[in-house]
Amino acid sequence: MIQGLYSVPEVTEMIGRGDVLLLAGDVDLLAQLPAGKWIGGSTTRFILHADELVESHDKIFVHNLSEIAGEIKISVYDPSTISNIFDDAYDNGFSVLIMAWGSDTLKEYSINVSSYHNFACKVICGWITKNFFDNENPDISKAVCGKDGSLHSNSGVVMHVALPADKYAEVHTFSPFKQGKGDVFMFEENGLQVENACINGIKQNFRQYLESQKIDRSVECIVAGDFAGTIMNVYLLRDQKSDRGKYVSFSAPVYGGVEYRFAEIDLSYEEPTSFEGDIVFSLTCITNYTQPEVFKKYLRNMHGPFTYGEIAYHLMNHATIYVTVGNVQEPVYAS
Amino acid sequence: MNAQEIIDQIPDDTLLSIINKANELTWNFLALKVMLARLKLKLSMMDNDIARQQSCRDLRDLFRKSRNIPNAQKDMQLIAEQFGTPFA
């Protein structure tokens, strides 16, 4: 499986021979590529083999899927069509979704995905593009549709990948964070912004609760939700201008009915080291780039872009996502 | 019996118990975890016959579509051990 950084001429050659590519790189580089079987997103930070963290403005990260991909479809979804993503995905395969930070399609997907038809019955993963901590230039954050080279800041670009009948795909997520031992909070509904939460069963204004607990939002503050045993993290936004008075804003949605706690690092956590199948695609949160002294050791088997939101069905933060492709196994249940 | 026939035979009551106890067991298959979290929330907000039947259909669909995936198979075995379904 070809994975790594390549120059524009090298990627152009792969596209020319019909390779199926998932790309990540500087938007100016992606814009130079010819049309073909690829999608891409803008970022300039990458993790390479041997847990090397790099910034590159002259090379593109390639996940080359040609060895495993059967048929593919490349589609662009806007907020009114993204709900079709599971229906459009192949029954046996996986789909990679790339969206720009702040896009309307991202907001729609992140809040409502669990209500989409066929949710979780097809494999959906992906990532959010954004210029590195540059909130002043959101326009250079793009998802790119390789079918025609179009750049998208408000729509999502998807590659649906079919696999041969004897293969299966599975998406996985991990994070060294776990739920802390503090208060349990549950929100009333899905959203990027909340007013109230049930704190240990008692409804309160969540902003007032944070103030009463003297939570310092000027530093990284993560809440961790328990999704039947998988922990999904979201950040409290540091920029409280978006809070609109009595509300609190998050960088990814919180989900109504899910138990959240403030997150803490699990010092006993060990990265996954054995895999059922081959890793064909992986990505990880940008925070792992900015704090390598803490997180680099968890990423020794991962290669790909650093991202501003990670998708494994749901949108989440501070996660590593990877897709494996393995050989199907007939079930051996007794009858 | 093949896997699909076995999945079809899981009683709805068992599927509802799986949803209700979603957080009490250690699952392997991510798609099942996110599905269980969604269905548990749905039933906590509207616990009526239609919602229960739809939730059972959704869960059964996921089991059918993922029956050849090893992590899903591990979870089906876990269900057999915990709930005594026809897998056992």
Side-chain angles (χ1 to χ4, degrees):
Chain A
M1 193 71 60
I2 297 171
Q3 299 177 343
L5 282 174
Y6 292 87
S7 67
V8 169
E10 289 170 324
V11 179
T12 299
E13 186 181 334
M14 292 180 206
I15 294 169
R17 64 180 184 233
D19 286 1
V20 177
L21 308 175
L22 300 171
L23 305 178
D26 189 303
V27 69
D28 290 339
L29 302 183
L30 297 175
Q32 295 175 38
L33 298 173
K37 297 178 185 174
W38 63 274
I39 65 168
S42 55
T43 184
T44 55
R45 269 75 175 178
F46 311 97
I47 184 162
L48 305 180
H49 294 268
D51 63 19
E52 181 187 359
L53 313 187
V54 299
E55 176 177 4
S56 176
H57 292 271
D58 58 7
K59 289 192 173 179
I60 296 169
F61 194 96
V62 175
H63 285 106
N64 192 325
L65 305 180
S66 304
E67 286 178 20
I68 52 107
E71 192 178 334
I72 66 152
K73 295 183 283 192
I74 295 174
S75 304
V76 176
Y77 292 91
D78 65 25
S80 69
T81 57
I82 188 68
S83 61
N84 298 323
I85 187 169
F86 288 95
D87 287 341
D88 293 347
Y90 292 102
D91 284 340
N92 185 37
F94 62 99
S95 301
V96 178
L97 165 61
I98 303 176
M99 294 182 281
W101 173 271
S103 66
D104 291 333
T105 309
L106 170 60
K107 287 175 194 158
E108 156 59 32
Y109 178 90
S110 62
I111 294 171
N112 296 314
V113 60
S114 63
S115 65
Y116 293 172
H117 188 247
N118 266 326
F119 172 73
C121 290
K122 315 276 185 73
V123 175
I124 305 286
C125 63
W127 58 284
I128 309 307
T129 74
K130 185 173 179 287
N131 195 36
F132 187 64
F133 294 145
D134 185 352
N135 294 316
E136 304 303 316
N137 294 297
D139 284 350
I140 60 175
S141 173
K142 303 287 186 188
V144 190
C145 174
K147 197 164 64 172
D148 57 10
S150 55
L151 306 175
H152 299 269
S153 56
N154 204 41
S155 297
V157 177
V158 178
M159 180 183 284
H160 299 292
V161 180
L163 293 174
D166 61 342
K167 302 285 186 191
Y168 74 93
E170 192 174 357
V171 61
H172 314 259
T173 177
F174 70 88
S175 163
F177 283 93
K178 64 178 182 180
Q179 289 189 317
K181 293 187 170 52
D183 294 334
V184 175
F185 26 96
M186 295 177 75
F187 303 102
E188 294 170 313
E189 54 190 21
N190 303 353
L192 291 160
Q193 202 164 52
V194 301
E195 180 178 1
N196 298 314
C198 279
I199 316 288
N200 299 327
I202 299 169
K203 186 174 175 179
Q204 296 180 51
N205 177 272
F206 193 56
R207 183 169 185 152
Q208 289 175 357
Y209 164 76
L210 295 176
E211 288 168 358
S212 71
Q213 298 296 307
K214 297 186 169 38
I215 302 297
D216 180 4
R217 291 175 62 187
S218 66
V219 297
E220 184 178 274
C221 196
I222 301 172
V223 296
D226 183 351
F227 290 70
T230 283
I231 298 301
M232 295 192 190
N233 304 313
V234 299
Y235 293 109
L236 291 173
L237 282 187
R238 296 185 198 192
D239 177 6
Q240 296 176 41
K241 282 183 289 192
S242 56
D243 278 356
R244 295 194 296 126
K246 57 191 176 183
Y247 295 87
V248 173
S249 301
F250 297 90
S251 58
V254 290
Y255 290 87
V258 172
E259 290 189 355
Y260 288 86
R261 284 183 154 112
F262 285 110
E264 64 183 34
I265 291 187
D266 180 354
L267 296 173
S268 66
Y269 182 80
E270 293 183 8
E271 65 176 328
T273 52
S274 66
F275 307 96
E276 289 178 348
D278 298 322
I279 298 175
V280 299
F281 178 59
S282 57
L283 55 93
T284 190
C285 176
I286 188 67
T287 310
N288 294 327
Y289 182 89
T290 57
Q291 298 178 52
E293 68 284 1
V294 181
F295 299 112
K296 191 173 157 182
K297 64 182 177 183
Y298 301 116
L299 302 172
R300 283 170 288 203
N301 292 297
M302 302 295 144
H303 324 107
F306 285 101
T307 62
Y308 293 82
E310 298 77 53
I311 298 169
Y313 307 106
H314 289 290
L315 173 67
M316 63 195 84
N317 299 130
H318 217 309
T320 299
I321 307 282
Y322 63 98
V323 176
T324 52
V325 170
N327 297 317
V328 299
Q329 293 180 17
E330 287 300 320
V332 289
Y333 312 123
S335 59
Chain B
M1 260 193 302
N2 64 32
Q4 176 136 344
E5 290 168 335
I6 291 171
I7 291 163
D8 289 344
Q9 285 193 10
I10 304 174
D12 279 5
D13 285 348
T14 300
L15 295 174
L16 292 169
S17 295
I18 293 167
I19 296 168
N20 287 331
K21 295 182 178 177
N23 287 50
E24 296 173 22
L25 297 171
T26 302
W27 306 103
N28 298 284
F29 187 43
L30 179 60
L32 178 61
K33 296 179 190 182
V34 298
M35 174 68 85
L36 288 172
R38 178 196 145 212
L39 296 178
K40 192 170 184 185
L41 170 63
K42 179 179 173 180
L43 292 179
S44 72
M45 297 175 79
M46 51 176 178
D47 191 7
N48 56 46
D49 284 348
I50 293 172
R52 283 192 289 270
Q53 287 166 10
Q54 184 61 52
S55 296
C56 291
R57 259 200 304 275
D58 289 352
L59 192 51
R60 211 184 293 278
D61 271 354
L62 179 62
F63 286 140
R64 282 192 197 111
K65 288 173 179 167
S66 56
R67 64 184 183 274
N68 291 331
I69 298 177
N71 274 331
Q73 292 169 2
K74 287 179 197 166
D75 287 345
M76 291 183 210
Q77 290 293 354
L78 177 66
I79 290 166
E81 290 159 18
Q82 296 291 321
F83 299 93
T85 70
F87 300 125

